Amino acid sequence: MQRRDFFKFSGILGAASLLPNAILASENGALEPKKRTFDVSFKHQLVEKGEISKIWVPLTLHSEYQHLVKDYAINTTANNAFISDTQIPTLFGEFAPNEQRPVLNVDFRIETIERNTDFSKVNYDPNEKLEPSILEFLKPTSHIPTTGVVKDKALEIIGDVKGDLERARAIYTWVANNMQRDNSVLGCGLGDVKAILESGKLTGKCTDINSVFVGLCRSVGIPAREIFGIRVGQSRFSDQMGSAKDGLAKISGGQHCRAEFYLKGYGWIPVDPADVTKVRLGEKLSNDDSKLAHIREYLFGNWEMCWIAFNYGRDFVLTPEPAQSPLNNFGYPYAEVDGNTQNYYSPKEFSYDYTSLEIKD
């Protein structure tokens, strides 16, 4: 059997390195937002044995707020491994029949740039004609309808509020204050917005909570989307939002969904009401607590980048197409052995081991 060690995907890195760094300007000169660098390791070795084993691994989204600074280094016993999708970055591996040690590991170094929104410079242009790529995030999906109970709730929340920025803030505040994190939910949750609102039980995990924000925004004409990724380092706000010991973070269970909304005349604005609920539960705070109020204010328009993004995928088909199709979202590795989906919510059962080490200057 042929073994392929440490493939270099320089084309992917080359495309990423051309992206400009985000710079925040001031009247007195240029101010750079906080940059952080992480060495990340994703290790996979499938536990279940069978004739045909396949694996799909989410890779990093290339954007203005994160980019690779070292090529992907891949070590695998697969006889066929390649990046199968660049829109939803995916590393695919297919193993030889009856492979007894199906391994696929990937290591990379990534730089993240904190996202900050200066609302004093945010202009709203209701006459902007949206591009098809933006209009895509106004469409309903099987888990995020934009009519019925979803639109009714959104209209109730915004009331007489005018302007998309003000409406998005009203929706964000309602979600952050009224939804509750439920640690008993499997993984990051399903993000079934209609079911959550119809039940009246406003609980869930990050995909549930941020999908409610997304659905409510879409229902009143504000483009919005979830972004699936993983925590990679220490948060300065709360260990609930990311933790590490001596810079090393064990992140196999660190998958986390965030959200954005699009403001005409400005662009995408980051939010994360789910982390407000996570801190409130984990630190036993009330909505009126000054620490929670600070975090809630920060997470409307800002992202602390101790987290990296994978993709925006919801209800989509992996490439090449697996047995489970469409996939609800792609924040976890996905694998099949003889067509049987492996339990991607259980690192030990799957198995996979993810770590991240922050590189200090």
Side-chain angles (χ1 to χ4, degrees):
M1 178 187 64
Q2 183 181 10
R3 181 178 179 84
R4 300 185 178 185
D5 291 328
F6 293 97
F7 297 140
K8 300 290 186 178
F9 289 98
S10 57
I12 297 294
L13 175 62
S17 63
L18 296 176
L19 293 170
N21 286 339
I23 299 295
L24 296 181
S26 72
E27 295 298 326
N28 299 321
L31 298 175
E32 287 197 15
K34 183 174 177 60
K35 295 181 181 180
R36 301 174 72 171
T37 303
F38 301 91
D39 277 343
V40 183
S41 176
F42 293 167
K43 298 185 184 302
H44 314 83
Q45 182 170 340
L46 301 183
V47 171
E48 183 177 337
K49 298 298 186 291
E51 183 179 359
I52 303 297
S53 298
K54 301 177 184 179
I55 186 169
W56 294 252
V57 177
L59 296 177
T60 60
L61 188 70
H62 304 303
S63 71
E64 63 185 10
Y65 54 83
Q66 64 179 43
H67 62 269
L68 293 177
V69 292
K70 279 188 179 179
D71 292 358
Y72 293 120
I74 297 170
N75 181 295
T76 184
T77 56
N79 64 349
N80 189 18
F82 58 95
I83 293 177
S84 64
D85 192 339
T86 55
Q87 293 299 111
I88 299 177
T90 305
L91 174 63
F92 173 72
E94 184 172 14
F95 299 89
N98 299 305
E99 167 61 49
Q100 294 303 296
R101 189 172 174 267
V103 169
L104 189 151
N105 301 331
V106 57
D107 298 289
F108 56 93
R109 178 172 290 182
I110 190 167
E111 182 180 79
T112 67
I113 303 168
E114 183 160 337
R115 293 188 68 182
N116 303 115
T117 303
D118 183 351
F119 285 103
S120 70
K121 298 178 180 178
V122 172
N123 296 313
Y124 172 55
D125 179 9
N127 297 316
E128 178 189 342
K129 185 177 180 181
L130 296 178
E131 298 292 329
S133 61
I134 308 298
L135 290 172
E136 187 69 24
F137 297 105
L138 276 173
K139 295 178 181 178
T141 71
S142 60
H143 287 93
I144 307 179
T146 55
T147 57
V149 67
V150 182
K151 186 164 188 176
D152 291 344
K153 178 55 70 174
L155 292 175
E156 175 189 322
I157 292 166
I158 64 175
D160 295 329
V161 173
K162 305 297 182 185
D164 282 1
L165 178 59
E166 293 76 10
R167 288 179 168 188
R169 182 180 282 275
I171 291 169
Y172 167 86
T173 302
W174 182 88
V175 172
N177 286 347
N178 289 280
M179 292 203 69
Q180 305 291 326
R181 180 176 172 87
D182 180 355
N183 284 332
S184 70
V185 169
L186 190 63
C188 290
L190 295 177
D192 191 332
V193 176
K194 181 183 177 189
I196 291 169
L197 294 178
E198 282 186 341
S199 73
K201 187 180 179 183
L202 303 175
T203 62
K205 281 193 179 171
C206 55
T207 300
D208 302 308
I209 294 164
N210 284 333
S211 292
V212 168
F213 171 82
V214 167
L216 293 171
C217 283
R218 288 184 185 180
S219 73
V220 291
I222 303 171
R225 61 192 182 189
E226 308 98 316
I227 304 178
F228 300 92
I230 193 166
R231 303 183 198 272
V232 290
Q234 181 69 49
S235 167
R236 68 180 183 271
F237 294 102
S238 171
D239 285 349
Q240 301 295 320
M241 298 163 63
S243 62
K245 184 176 181 181
D246 298 326
L248 179 65
K250 297 182 179 182
I251 62 173
S252 298
Q255 291 81 6
H256 178 57
C257 167
R258 286 179 164 177
E260 293 177 315
F261 69 94
Y262 188 87
L263 186 68
K264 291 181 178 180
Y266 181 78
W268 289 103
I269 294 178
V271 298
D272 193 350
D275 259 358
V276 180
T277 71
K278 184 176 176 68
V279 174
R280 185 176 59 222
L281 176 65
E283 297 195 13
K284 299 179 173 58
L285 304 177
S286 70
N287 281 335
D288 296 328
D289 186 278
S290 59
K291 177 177 182 177
L292 194 70
H294 175 66
I295 291 172
R296 184 172 55 238
E297 182 65 24
Y298 172 84
L299 288 174
F300 184 82
N302 305 282
W303 280 351
E304 183 188 18
M305 290 304 292
C306 53
W307 168 93
I308 56 175
F310 291 148
N311 58 72
Y312 311 107
R314 283 303 302 268
D315 302 310
F316 75 103
V317 178
L318 281 169
T319 304
E321 186 171 357
Q324 183 176 329
S325 186
L327 205 64
N328 182 312
N329 61 71
F330 191 36
Y332 293 81
Y334 178 89
E336 295 175 351
V337 178
D338 294 339
N340 297 319
T341 300
Q342 304 303 288
N343 183 4
Y344 40 83
Y345 293 131
S346 174
K348 288 184 178 180
E349 186 179 338
F350 189 95
S351 68
Y352 56 90
D353 182 29
Y354 288 4
T355 60
S356 173
L357 178 65
E358 184 159 10
I359 306 302
K360 300 292 188 179
D361 294 333

